[in-house]
Amino acid sequence: MVVTLIVVCEVGFWVLLAAGLATRYLLKMPRTGAALLLCEPLLEVVLLVVTAMDLRSGAEPSWRHGLAALYIGYTVGHGHRTVKWLDGHAAHRFGGAPRPQGPPRYGRARARHEGRLWLGTLLGAAVATLLLWLSVLYVGDPSRTGPLHDWMGAAWRAAGIHGLIALSYVVWPRKAPEQESAPGERTPVPTEHH
C-alpha cells in the first residue's frame, strides 16, 4: 500500500504541477494556478499520515517505509527547485517571459550552483532521517526497526556521494573554452613554409 501511495504521490505531483501551470499561463488565472501549486506539499502530508497509520496498524517496518521517508525528504529538499524551474519555462513558453537561464557551466559559478544543489540533498537527508527516527520511536521495538536504520544510512550515503560530486567542481573547476578570435574577426589560416 505504501509503495502504491508513493507512485500515486509522484503522479499527483506532476498532475498538480501541470494543472497549476496550465491554469496560471494558459487560462490566465495566476492566483488559481498558484493555489494549485501550493497544494503540492499536501501530497507529502498524505503519504506521511498513511505511512504512520501503516506502522500503527502493526505493519512490519520495511524498505517501503524507508523509501517513503526518502521520497518526502527529496521533495522537501528539491521539490521547490523543480517547480521553480518548470514555472520559469512555462512563463517563457506561454506567458511571454524571457527564456530562463540555465545553470552556470564553468568556474566558481558552477561550483556554487552544485553546492546549492548539494544543500538541497543535505536537507532531504536530514528530513528523511528525522522521519525515520520518529518512526523508530513510534514503533518502539528495536528488534523491528533495523530496516529504518538502514535507510538512514542510505540517505547519508547519497548525500555524501552528492557532496563529493559537488566538491569536484571546486577542486577541478571546469574552464570556459577560450575564444580563438574576437567576434567578427576571421581566424587567420596558417600558411605552409617551404
PDB file of all heavy atoms in Angstrom, residues 82-113:
ATOM      1  N   THR A  82      12.399  22.200  -8.564  1.00  0.00           N
ATOM      2  CA  THR A  82      11.767  21.625  -9.747  1.00  0.00           C
ATOM      3  C   THR A  82      10.581  22.486 -10.182  1.00  0.00           C
ATOM      4  O   THR A  82      10.429  22.800 -11.368  1.00  0.00           O
ATOM      5  CB  THR A  82      11.291  20.184  -9.453  1.00  0.00           C
ATOM      6  OG1 THR A  82      12.414  19.415  -9.021  1.00  0.00           O
ATOM      7  CG2 THR A  82      10.659  19.542 -10.667  1.00  0.00           C
ATOM      8  N   VAL A  83       9.746  22.882  -9.218  1.00  0.00           N
ATOM      9  CA  VAL A  83       8.578  23.708  -9.536  1.00  0.00           C
ATOM     10  C   VAL A  83       9.025  25.047 -10.115  1.00  0.00           C
ATOM     11  O   VAL A  83       8.481  25.518 -11.122  1.00  0.00           O
ATOM     12  CB  VAL A  83       7.697  23.912  -8.282  1.00  0.00           C
ATOM     13  CG1 VAL A  83       6.611  24.948  -8.534  1.00  0.00           C
ATOM     14  CG2 VAL A  83       7.080  22.587  -7.843  1.00  0.00           C
ATOM     15  N   LYS A  84      10.026  25.664  -9.497  1.00  0.00           N
ATOM     16  CA  LYS A  84      10.513  26.970  -9.968  1.00  0.00           C
ATOM     17  C   LYS A  84      11.072  26.864 -11.387  1.00  0.00           C
ATOM     18  O   LYS A  84      10.833  27.729 -12.234  1.00  0.00           O
ATOM     19  CB  LYS A  84      11.576  27.495  -9.007  1.00  0.00           C
ATOM     20  CG  LYS A  84      12.072  28.873  -9.325  1.00  0.00           C
ATOM     21  CD  LYS A  84      13.079  29.344  -8.293  1.00  0.00           C
ATOM     22  CE  LYS A  84      13.630  30.704  -8.659  1.00  0.00           C
ATOM     23  NZ  LYS A  84      14.653  31.150  -7.719  1.00  0.00           N
ATOM     24  N   TRP A  85      11.823  25.804 -11.653  1.00  0.00           N
ATOM     25  CA  TRP A  85      12.422  25.611 -12.978  1.00  0.00           C
ATOM     26  C   TRP A  85      11.323  25.455 -14.038  1.00  0.00           C
ATOM     27  O   TRP A  85      11.369  26.101 -15.082  1.00  0.00           O
ATOM     28  CB  TRP A  85      13.329  24.382 -12.940  1.00  0.00           C
ATOM     29  CG  TRP A  85      14.038  24.100 -14.224  1.00  0.00           C
ATOM     30  CD1 TRP A  85      15.163  24.709 -14.695  1.00  0.00           C
ATOM     31  CD2 TRP A  85      13.669  23.127 -15.211  1.00  0.00           C
ATOM     32  NE1 TRP A  85      15.529  24.167 -15.910  1.00  0.00           N
ATOM     33  CE2 TRP A  85      14.623  23.196 -16.248  1.00  0.00           C
ATOM     34  CE3 TRP A  85      12.634  22.214 -15.311  1.00  0.00           C
ATOM     35  CZ2 TRP A  85      14.549  22.386 -17.374  1.00  0.00           C
ATOM     36  CZ3 TRP A  85      12.568  21.403 -16.433  1.00  0.00           C
ATOM     37  CH2 TRP A  85      13.524  21.501 -17.442  1.00  0.00           C
ATOM     38  N   LEU A  86      10.347  24.604 -13.747  1.00  0.00           N
ATOM     39  CA  LEU A  86       9.269  24.390 -14.709  1.00  0.00           C
ATOM     40  C   LEU A  86       8.397  25.626 -14.854  1.00  0.00           C
ATOM     41  O   LEU A  86       7.920  25.930 -15.953  1.00  0.00           O
ATOM     42  CB  LEU A  86       8.427  23.180 -14.305  1.00  0.00           C
ATOM     43  CG  LEU A  86       9.119  21.846 -14.540  1.00  0.00           C
ATOM     44  CD1 LEU A  86       8.353  20.711 -13.889  1.00  0.00           C
ATOM     45  CD2 LEU A  86       9.281  21.577 -16.032  1.00  0.00           C
ATOM     46  N   ASP A  87       8.189  26.370 -13.761  1.00  0.00           N
ATOM     47  CA  ASP A  87       7.408  27.602 -13.837  1.00  0.00           C
ATOM     48  C   ASP A  87       8.106  28.616 -14.742  1.00  0.00           C
ATOM     49  O   ASP A  87       7.457  29.289 -15.548  1.00  0.00           O
ATOM     50  CB  ASP A  87       7.207  28.178 -12.439  1.00  0.00           C
ATOM     51  CG  ASP A  87       6.315  29.405 -12.457  1.00  0.00           C
ATOM     52  OD1 ASP A  87       5.203  29.337 -13.013  1.00  0.00           O
ATOM     53  OD2 ASP A  87       6.740  30.449 -11.901  1.00  0.00           O
ATOM     54  N   GLY A  88       9.421  28.716 -14.627  1.00  0.00           N
ATOM     55  CA  GLY A  88      10.170  29.633 -15.494  1.00  0.00           C
ATOM     56  C   GLY A  88      10.036  29.273 -16.962  1.00  0.00           C
ATOM     57  O   GLY A  88       9.865  30.144 -17.824  1.00  0.00           O
ATOM     58  N   HIS A  89      10.085  27.977 -17.269  1.00  0.00           N
ATOM     59  CA  HIS A  89       9.943  27.545 -18.664  1.00  0.00           C
ATOM     60  C   HIS A  89       8.516  27.740 -19.169  1.00  0.00           C
ATOM     61  O   HIS A  89       8.311  28.104 -20.330  1.00  0.00           O
ATOM     62  CB  HIS A  89      10.401  26.097 -18.821  1.00  0.00           C
ATOM     63  CG  HIS A  89      11.885  25.971 -18.829  1.00  0.00           C
ATOM     64  ND1 HIS A  89      12.655  26.231 -19.943  1.00  0.00           N
ATOM     65  CD2 HIS A  89      12.762  25.652 -17.840  1.00  0.00           C
ATOM     66  CE1 HIS A  89      13.933  26.066 -19.659  1.00  0.00           C
ATOM     67  NE2 HIS A  89      14.024  25.720 -18.390  1.00  0.00           N
ATOM     68  N   ALA A  90       7.515  27.498 -18.304  1.00  0.00           N
ATOM     69  CA  ALA A  90       6.126  27.722 -18.705  1.00  0.00           C
ATOM     70  C   ALA A  90       5.878  29.214 -18.926  1.00  0.00           C
ATOM     71  O   ALA A  90       5.176  29.598 -19.876  1.00  0.00           O
ATOM     72  CB  ALA A  90       5.172  27.166 -17.654  1.00  0.00           C
ATOM     73  N   ALA A  91       6.447  30.060 -18.060  1.00  0.00           N
ATOM     74  CA  ALA A  91       6.296  31.510 -18.222  1.00  0.00           C
ATOM     75  C   ALA A  91       6.897  31.966 -19.541  1.00  0.00           C
ATOM     76  O   ALA A  91       6.342  32.831 -20.228  1.00  0.00           O
ATOM     77  CB  ALA A  91       6.953  32.240 -17.053  1.00  0.00           C
ATOM     78  N   HIS A  92       8.020  31.377 -19.929  1.00  0.00           N
ATOM     79  CA  HIS A  92       8.653  31.715 -21.208  1.00  0.00           C
ATOM     80  C   HIS A  92       7.807  31.221 -22.384  1.00  0.00           C
ATOM     81  O   HIS A  92       7.531  31.967 -23.323  1.00  0.00           O
ATOM     82  CB  HIS A  92      10.045  31.093 -21.270  1.00  0.00           C
ATOM     83  CG  HIS A  92      10.655  31.107 -22.634  1.00  0.00           C
ATOM     84  ND1 HIS A  92      10.992  32.266 -23.296  1.00  0.00           N
ATOM     85  CD2 HIS A  92      10.966  30.090 -23.476  1.00  0.00           C
ATOM     86  CE1 HIS A  92      11.497  31.965 -24.478  1.00  0.00           C
ATOM     87  NE2 HIS A  92      11.483  30.662 -24.612  1.00  0.00           N
ATOM     88  N   ARG A  93       7.391  29.985 -22.313  1.00  0.00           N
ATOM     89  CA  ARG A  93       6.675  29.358 -23.436  1.00  0.00           C
ATOM     90  C   ARG A  93       5.278  29.931 -23.634  1.00  0.00           C
ATOM     91  O   ARG A  93       4.849  30.175 -24.748  1.00  0.00           O
ATOM     92  CB  ARG A  93       6.597  27.851 -23.180  1.00  0.00           C
ATOM     93  CG  ARG A  93       5.882  27.074 -24.233  1.00  0.00           C
ATOM     94  CD  ARG A  93       6.830  26.722 -25.347  1.00  0.00           C
ATOM     95  NE  ARG A  93       6.233  25.723 -26.205  1.00  0.00           N
ATOM     96  CZ  ARG A  93       5.761  25.984 -27.413  1.00  0.00           C
ATOM     97  NH1 ARG A  93       5.832  27.187 -27.913  1.00  0.00           N
ATOM     98  NH2 ARG A  93       5.230  25.033 -28.141  1.00  0.00           N
ATOM     99  N   PHE A  94       4.565  30.149 -22.512  1.00  0.00           N
ATOM    100  CA  PHE A  94       3.168  30.530 -22.622  1.00  0.00           C
ATOM    101  C   PHE A  94       2.852  31.933 -22.116  1.00  0.00           C
ATOM    102  O   PHE A  94       1.775  32.449 -22.377  1.00  0.00           O
ATOM    103  CB  PHE A  94       2.294  29.530 -21.848  1.00  0.00           C
ATOM    104  CG  PHE A  94       2.468  28.117 -22.300  1.00  0.00           C
ATOM    105  CD1 PHE A  94       3.066  27.183 -21.473  1.00  0.00           C
ATOM    106  CD2 PHE A  94       2.055  27.713 -23.560  1.00  0.00           C
ATOM    107  CE1 PHE A  94       3.238  25.875 -21.893  1.00  0.00           C
ATOM    108  CE2 PHE A  94       2.224  26.407 -23.984  1.00  0.00           C
ATOM    109  CZ  PHE A  94       2.815  25.492 -23.152  1.00  0.00           C
ATOM    110  N   GLY A  95       3.784  32.540 -21.363  1.00  0.00           N
ATOM    111  CA  GLY A  95       3.496  33.843 -20.778  1.00  0.00           C
ATOM    112  C   GLY A  95       4.314  34.982 -21.339  1.00  0.00           C
ATOM    113  O   GLY A  95       4.219  36.108 -20.854  1.00  0.00           O
ATOM    114  N   GLY A  96       5.160  34.704 -22.319  1.00  0.00           N
ATOM    115  CA  GLY A  96       5.950  35.761 -22.935  1.00  0.00           C
ATOM    116  C   GLY A  96       7.139  36.230 -22.119  1.00  0.00           C
ATOM    117  O   GLY A  96       7.755  37.239 -22.454  1.00  0.00           O
ATOM    118  N   ALA A  97       7.477  35.538 -21.062  1.00  0.00           N
ATOM    119  CA  ALA A  97       8.639  35.914 -20.245  1.00  0.00           C
ATOM    120  C   ALA A  97       9.925  35.536 -20.984  1.00  0.00           C
ATOM    121  O   ALA A  97       9.906  34.681 -21.881  1.00  0.00           O
ATOM    122  CB  ALA A  97       8.590  35.200 -18.899  1.00  0.00           C
ATOM    123  N   PRO A  98      11.037  36.163 -20.619  1.00  0.00           N
ATOM    124  CA  PRO A  98      12.303  35.775 -21.256  1.00  0.00           C
ATOM    125  C   PRO A  98      12.663  34.330 -20.907  1.00  0.00           C
ATOM    126  O   PRO A  98      12.244  33.810 -19.878  1.00  0.00           O
ATOM    127  CB  PRO A  98      13.333  36.742 -20.673  1.00  0.00           C
ATOM    128  CG  PRO A  98      12.672  37.423 -19.540  1.00  0.00           C
ATOM    129  CD  PRO A  98      11.198  37.235 -19.658  1.00  0.00           C
ATOM    130  N   ARG A  99      13.428  33.720 -21.806  1.00  0.00           N
ATOM    131  CA  ARG A  99      13.852  32.335 -21.579  1.00  0.00           C
ATOM    132  C   ARG A  99      14.701  32.260 -20.312  1.00  0.00           C
ATOM    133  O   ARG A  99      15.619  33.043 -20.129  1.00  0.00           O
ATOM    134  CB  ARG A  99      14.669  31.864 -22.784  1.00  0.00           C
ATOM    135  CG  ARG A  99      15.092  30.418 -22.698  1.00  0.00           C
ATOM    136  CD  ARG A  99      15.927  30.027 -23.923  1.00  0.00           C
ATOM    137  NE  ARG A  99      16.091  28.608 -23.937  1.00  0.00           N
ATOM    138  CZ  ARG A  99      15.303  27.753 -24.587  1.00  0.00           C
ATOM    139  NH1 ARG A  99      14.289  28.216 -25.292  1.00  0.00           N
ATOM    140  NH2 ARG A  99      15.511  26.463 -24.540  1.00  0.00           N
ATOM    141  N   PRO A 100      14.379  31.327 -19.410  1.00  0.00           N
ATOM    142  CA  PRO A 100      15.180  31.242 -18.180  1.00  0.00           C
ATOM    143  C   PRO A 100      16.600  30.802 -18.474  1.00  0.00           C
ATOM    144  O   PRO A 100      16.842  30.019 -19.392  1.00  0.00           O
ATOM    145  CB  PRO A 100      14.446  30.194 -17.339  1.00  0.00           C
ATOM    146  CG  PRO A 100      13.487  29.516 -18.230  1.00  0.00           C
ATOM    147  CD  PRO A 100      13.318  30.337 -19.465  1.00  0.00           C
ATOM    148  N   GLN A 101      17.513  31.344 -17.693  1.00  0.00           N
ATOM    149  CA  GLN A 101      18.911  30.958 -17.865  1.00  0.00           C
ATOM    150  C   GLN A 101      19.129  29.576 -17.295  1.00  0.00           C
ATOM    151  O   GLN A 101      18.546  29.207 -16.277  1.00  0.00           O
ATOM    152  CB  GLN A 101      19.825  31.935 -17.132  1.00  0.00           C
ATOM    153  CG  GLN A 101      19.971  33.259 -17.815  1.00  0.00           C
ATOM    154  CD  GLN A 101      21.033  34.082 -17.117  1.00  0.00           C
ATOM    155  OE1 GLN A 101      21.112  34.102 -15.890  1.00  0.00           O
ATOM    156  NE2 GLN A 101      21.840  34.780 -17.898  1.00  0.00           N
ATOM    157  N   GLY A 102      19.968  28.832 -17.953  1.00  0.00           N
ATOM    158  CA  GLY A 102      20.354  27.530 -17.427  1.00  0.00           C
ATOM    159  C   GLY A 102      21.374  27.708 -16.322  1.00  0.00           C
ATOM    160  O   GLY A 102      21.810  28.823 -16.033  1.00  0.00           O
ATOM    161  N   PRO A 103      21.766  26.630 -15.700  1.00  0.00           N
ATOM    162  CA  PRO A 103      22.780  26.751 -14.651  1.00  0.00           C
ATOM    163  C   PRO A 103      24.116  27.173 -15.255  1.00  0.00           C
ATOM    164  O   PRO A 103      24.377  26.911 -16.433  1.00  0.00           O
ATOM    165  CB  PRO A 103      22.862  25.341 -14.071  1.00  0.00           C
ATOM    166  CG  PRO A 103      22.358  24.440 -15.143  1.00  0.00           C
ATOM    167  CD  PRO A 103      21.360  25.244 -15.926  1.00  0.00           C
ATOM    168  N   PRO A 104      24.944  27.837 -14.464  1.00  0.00           N
ATOM    169  CA  PRO A 104      26.265  28.197 -14.978  1.00  0.00           C
ATOM    170  C   PRO A 104      27.038  26.933 -15.356  1.00  0.00           C
ATOM    171  O   PRO A 104      26.841  25.874 -14.769  1.00  0.00           O
ATOM    172  CB  PRO A 104      26.940  28.918 -13.809  1.00  0.00           C
ATOM    173  CG  PRO A 104      26.027  28.813 -12.655  1.00  0.00           C
ATOM    174  CD  PRO A 104      24.749  28.204 -13.097  1.00  0.00           C
ATOM    175  N   ARG A 105      27.905  27.070 -16.343  1.00  0.00           N
ATOM    176  CA  ARG A 105      28.615  25.890 -16.831  1.00  0.00           C
ATOM    177  C   ARG A 105      30.057  25.802 -16.371  1.00  0.00           C
ATOM    178  O   ARG A 105      30.642  24.724 -16.409  1.00  0.00           O
ATOM    179  CB  ARG A 105      28.561  25.879 -18.365  1.00  0.00           C
ATOM    180  CG  ARG A 105      27.133  25.766 -18.880  1.00  0.00           C
ATOM    181  CD  ARG A 105      27.055  25.805 -20.365  1.00  0.00           C
ATOM    182  NE  ARG A 105      27.688  24.611 -20.918  1.00  0.00           N
ATOM    183  CZ  ARG A 105      27.941  24.455 -22.207  1.00  0.00           C
ATOM    184  NH1 ARG A 105      27.629  25.388 -23.054  1.00  0.00           N
ATOM    185  NH2 ARG A 105      28.513  23.359 -22.632  1.00  0.00           N
ATOM    186  N   TYR A 106      30.616  26.931 -15.946  1.00  0.00           N
ATOM    187  CA  TYR A 106      32.051  26.932 -15.702  1.00  0.00           C
ATOM    188  C   TYR A 106      32.409  27.623 -14.394  1.00  0.00           C
ATOM    189  O   TYR A 106      31.672  28.438 -13.867  1.00  0.00           O
ATOM    190  CB  TYR A 106      32.775  27.657 -16.848  1.00  0.00           C
ATOM    191  CG  TYR A 106      32.429  27.123 -18.200  1.00  0.00           C
ATOM    192  CD1 TYR A 106      31.612  27.845 -19.065  1.00  0.00           C
ATOM    193  CD2 TYR A 106      32.891  25.880 -18.616  1.00  0.00           C
ATOM    194  CE1 TYR A 106      31.288  27.345 -20.313  1.00  0.00           C
ATOM    195  CE2 TYR A 106      32.565  25.373 -19.861  1.00  0.00           C
ATOM    196  CZ  TYR A 106      31.770  26.105 -20.698  1.00  0.00           C
ATOM    197  OH  TYR A 106      31.430  25.600 -21.924  1.00  0.00           O
ATOM    198  N   GLY A 107      33.610  27.295 -13.915  1.00  0.00           N
ATOM    199  CA  GLY A 107      34.265  28.010 -12.829  1.00  0.00           C
ATOM    200  C   GLY A 107      33.534  28.008 -11.497  1.00  0.00           C
ATOM    201  O   GLY A 107      32.802  27.084 -11.150  1.00  0.00           O
ATOM    202  N   ARG A 108      33.764  29.096 -10.749  1.00  0.00           N
ATOM    203  CA  ARG A 108      33.199  29.211  -9.405  1.00  0.00           C
ATOM    204  C   ARG A 108      31.679  29.265  -9.422  1.00  0.00           C
ATOM    205  O   ARG A 108      31.034  28.778  -8.497  1.00  0.00           O
ATOM    206  CB  ARG A 108      33.748  30.461  -8.720  1.00  0.00           C
ATOM    207  CG  ARG A 108      35.185  30.330  -8.351  1.00  0.00           C
ATOM    208  CD  ARG A 108      35.641  31.555  -7.625  1.00  0.00           C
ATOM    209  NE  ARG A 108      37.086  31.509  -7.469  1.00  0.00           N
ATOM    210  CZ  ARG A 108      37.721  32.127  -6.535  1.00  0.00           C
ATOM    211  NH1 ARG A 108      37.070  32.869  -5.661  1.00  0.00           N
ATOM    212  NH2 ARG A 108      39.022  32.035  -6.453  1.00  0.00           N
ATOM    213  N   ALA A 109      31.128  29.889 -10.455  1.00  0.00           N
ATOM    214  CA  ALA A 109      29.665  29.977 -10.529  1.00  0.00           C
ATOM    215  C   ALA A 109      29.062  28.572 -10.589  1.00  0.00           C
ATOM    216  O   ALA A 109      28.066  28.292  -9.920  1.00  0.00           O
ATOM    217  CB  ALA A 109      29.245  30.797 -11.738  1.00  0.00           C
ATOM    218  N   ARG A 110      29.674  27.685 -11.352  1.00  0.00           N
ATOM    219  CA  ARG A 110      29.173  26.311 -11.427  1.00  0.00           C
ATOM    220  C   ARG A 110      29.364  25.594 -10.088  1.00  0.00           C
ATOM    221  O   ARG A 110      28.489  24.852  -9.647  1.00  0.00           O
ATOM    222  CB  ARG A 110      29.884  25.543 -12.548  1.00  0.00           C
ATOM    223  CG  ARG A 110      29.446  24.103 -12.700  1.00  0.00           C
ATOM    224  CD  ARG A 110      27.950  24.012 -12.989  1.00  0.00           C
ATOM    225  NE  ARG A 110      27.469  22.655 -13.001  1.00  0.00           N
ATOM    226  CZ  ARG A 110      26.761  22.131 -13.983  1.00  0.00           C
ATOM    227  NH1 ARG A 110      26.459  22.857 -15.043  1.00  0.00           N
ATOM    228  NH2 ARG A 110      26.345  20.898 -13.913  1.00  0.00           N
ATOM    229  N   ALA A 111      30.484  25.832  -9.439  1.00  0.00           N
ATOM    230  CA  ALA A 111      30.739  25.218  -8.134  1.00  0.00           C
ATOM    231  C   ALA A 111      29.701  25.679  -7.109  1.00  0.00           C
ATOM    232  O   ALA A 111      29.195  24.873  -6.319  1.00  0.00           O
ATOM    233  CB  ALA A 111      32.148  25.552  -7.660  1.00  0.00           C
ATOM    234  N   ARG A 112      29.356  26.981  -7.127  1.00  0.00           N
ATOM    235  CA  ARG A 112      28.326  27.481  -6.213  1.00  0.00           C
ATOM    236  C   ARG A 112      26.972  26.835  -6.509  1.00  0.00           C
ATOM    237  O   ARG A 112      26.245  26.460  -5.594  1.00  0.00           O
ATOM    238  CB  ARG A 112      28.213  29.009  -6.310  1.00  0.00           C
ATOM    239  CG  ARG A 112      29.273  29.737  -5.520  1.00  0.00           C
ATOM    240  CD  ARG A 112      28.981  31.228  -5.428  1.00  0.00           C
ATOM    241  NE  ARG A 112      28.959  31.895  -6.723  1.00  0.00           N
ATOM    242  CZ  ARG A 112      30.028  32.358  -7.341  1.00  0.00           C
ATOM    243  NH1 ARG A 112      31.219  32.231  -6.793  1.00  0.00           N
ATOM    244  NH2 ARG A 112      29.917  32.945  -8.513  1.00  0.00           N
ATOM    245  N   HIS A 113      26.663  26.701  -7.773  1.00  0.00           N
ATOM    246  CA  HIS A 113      25.404  26.065  -8.179  1.00  0.00           C
ATOM    247  C   HIS A 113      25.344  24.627  -7.662  1.00  0.00           C
ATOM    248  O   HIS A 113      24.343  24.203  -7.080  1.00  0.00           O
ATOM    249  CB  HIS A 113      25.272  26.093  -9.706  1.00  0.00           C
ATOM    250  CG  HIS A 113      24.136  25.288 -10.229  1.00  0.00           C
ATOM    251  ND1 HIS A 113      22.840  25.717 -10.160  1.00  0.00           N
ATOM    252  CD2 HIS A 113      24.105  24.057 -10.793  1.00  0.00           C
ATOM    253  CE1 HIS A 113      22.051  24.789 -10.669  1.00  0.00           C
ATOM    254  NE2 HIS A 113      22.796  23.776 -11.068  1.00  0.00           N
TER     255      HIS A 113
END
